[in-house]
Amino acid sequence: MTMVSTSDAATAATPEFVPLSKHIGCEVKGIDLRKPLRPDTISAIYRAWLDHAVLLFRDQDLSQEDLIRVTGHFGEFAPLGRPAHTLPKGFSRLLPNIMMISNIRENGETIGALPDGEMMFHHDTIHREDPHKATLLYSVEIPTYGGDTLFASGTAAYDALDAEVKAKVEGRRAVNYYVYNSVVRGDKQGVDATSQAAHPVIRTHDETNRKAIYVNRLMTVKIEGMSEQESDTLLNFLFDHCEKPEFVYTHVWRKGDLVVWDNRCSSHARTDFPSDQRRLLLRTTVKGTSRPY
Ligand code: SIN
């Protein structure tokens, strides 16, 4: 019997990279993520991810094992900080480190996290001392309209700031709260010392060395060392600036989409969707490789 190594068996497909907007997002075409990828293909995909902050793979048909394998191409798994869920119909199990994002309810209980409606712009886990670097979201069930995910380039927004604002925010740190389940900015409900963290307002990416605005409307509550009023004025200016349409790619989901985003240099938001339609996505996250600086 001839032994075939993983790299020999890996597909020789050559990906095509198609930008999704001027500043953020890139579709990767010609790749079937059910099949193992060659190391040079993984490197090309990773390079495109660093360049575009968000990658989209359409028309995938992934098992949970595939999702776990693909997550590994972006770094080390971040352990799941949530209890096991009730499983929806069609699922016999949920592998460790996969989270359900869903509004589906079984026996009156939500089966997943972030169930309903609109979410303001945020960076995943910015409330932690060691925020996750990447998030992967794979769509299983999608409503007929709404529930789009918007991605904003903090890098392009930083580059477009005028020198006066850059000088004002340089070296500043801001406090961020855990408020995913609220649409109220900086909602203090349930916030304690373990669910808040201060990070630089301008973050330097540890792999590209590019600077990005690292505050967001949902979770950032205050710039340290400023009066409440001065901080609010500056933060509101930065939120409005980051969310300008020219820095944003809006992703309209189709079943079988896998989207991978870089939390170090992009924020994201979600539009409302009908509460009587099912939405289910599988989510994994990748550990950060450095504390934000
Ligand atoms: C998230 O903010 O991580 C979820 C985004 C979404 O449900 O589209």
Side-chain angles (χ1 to χ4, degrees), residues 101-102 113-114 117 119-120 122 124 135 137 147-151 180 253 261 268-271 273 279 281 283:
I101 302 294
S102 187
L114 312 178
M119 290 187 78
M120 290 192 284
H122 59 281
D124 286 341
T135 305
L137 207 52
D148 304 338
T149 309
L150 282 63
F151 295 96
Y180 292 114
W253 290 93
W261 65 84
H268 56 282
R270 183 173 72 193
T271 63
F273 57 96
R279 188 175 189 270
L281 302 102
R283 181 184 197 259

Side-chain angles (χ1 to χ4, degrees), residues 79-136:
L80 191 61
R82 285 181 60 88
H85 304 270
T86 312
L87 295 173
K89 287 184 195 77
F91 275 78
S92 58
R93 67 195 172 128
L94 187 65
L95 291 182
N97 295 322
I98 296 183
M99 179 191 269
M100 288 191 176
I101 302 294
S102 187
N103 64 342
I104 298 172
R105 287 166 169 83
E106 297 282 344
N107 306 320
E109 299 269 319
T110 50
I111 61 156
L114 312 178
D116 299 313
E118 185 184 357
M119 290 187 78
M120 290 192 284
F121 275 93
H122 59 281
H123 298 78
D124 286 341
T125 59
I126 195 174
H127 64 283
R128 294 171 51 128
E129 290 298 330
D130 57 347
H132 299 157
K133 83 171 188 180
T135 305
L136 290 84

Side-chain angles (χ1 to χ4, degrees), residues 127-246:
H127 64 283
R128 294 171 51 128
E129 290 298 330
D130 57 347
H132 299 157
K133 83 171 188 180
T135 305
L136 290 84
L137 207 52
Y138 174 63
S139 57
V140 180
E141 288 187 68
I142 291 299
T144 51
Y145 64 94
D148 304 338
T149 309
L150 282 63
F151 295 96
S153 168
T155 315
Y158 173 78
D159 290 347
L161 283 179
D162 65 35
E164 198 188 320
V165 182
K166 280 185 179 161
K168 225 180 203 172
V169 291
E170 194 57 53
R172 293 279 181 186
R173 293 169 67 81
V175 179
N176 303 280
Y177 280 178
Y178 174 89
V179 281
Y180 292 114
N181 294 326
S182 171
V183 287
V184 183
R185 177 177 157 237
D187 185 358
K188 292 192 176 64
Q189 229 183 337
V191 173
D192 58 27
T194 62
S195 49
Q196 58 175 285
H199 293 303
V201 173
I202 306 302
R203 179 174 183 176
T204 303
H205 196 288
D206 55 312
E207 292 183 272
T208 66
N209 286 323
R210 294 191 67 185
K211 289 182 176 184
I213 298 178
Y214 194 57
V215 291
N216 65 70
R217 199 178 290 277
L218 183 63
M219 301 170 81
T220 308
V221 290
K222 189 171 188 321
I223 297 180
E224 291 179 338
M226 285 186 170
S227 71
E228 191 106 357
Q229 196 189 344
E230 201 186 353
S231 162
D232 275 351
T233 306
L234 187 50
L235 282 177
N236 283 322
F237 169 83
L238 292 172
F239 301 152
D240 291 345
H241 176 73
C242 289
E243 297 170 14
K244 285 180 185 156
E246 67 247 46

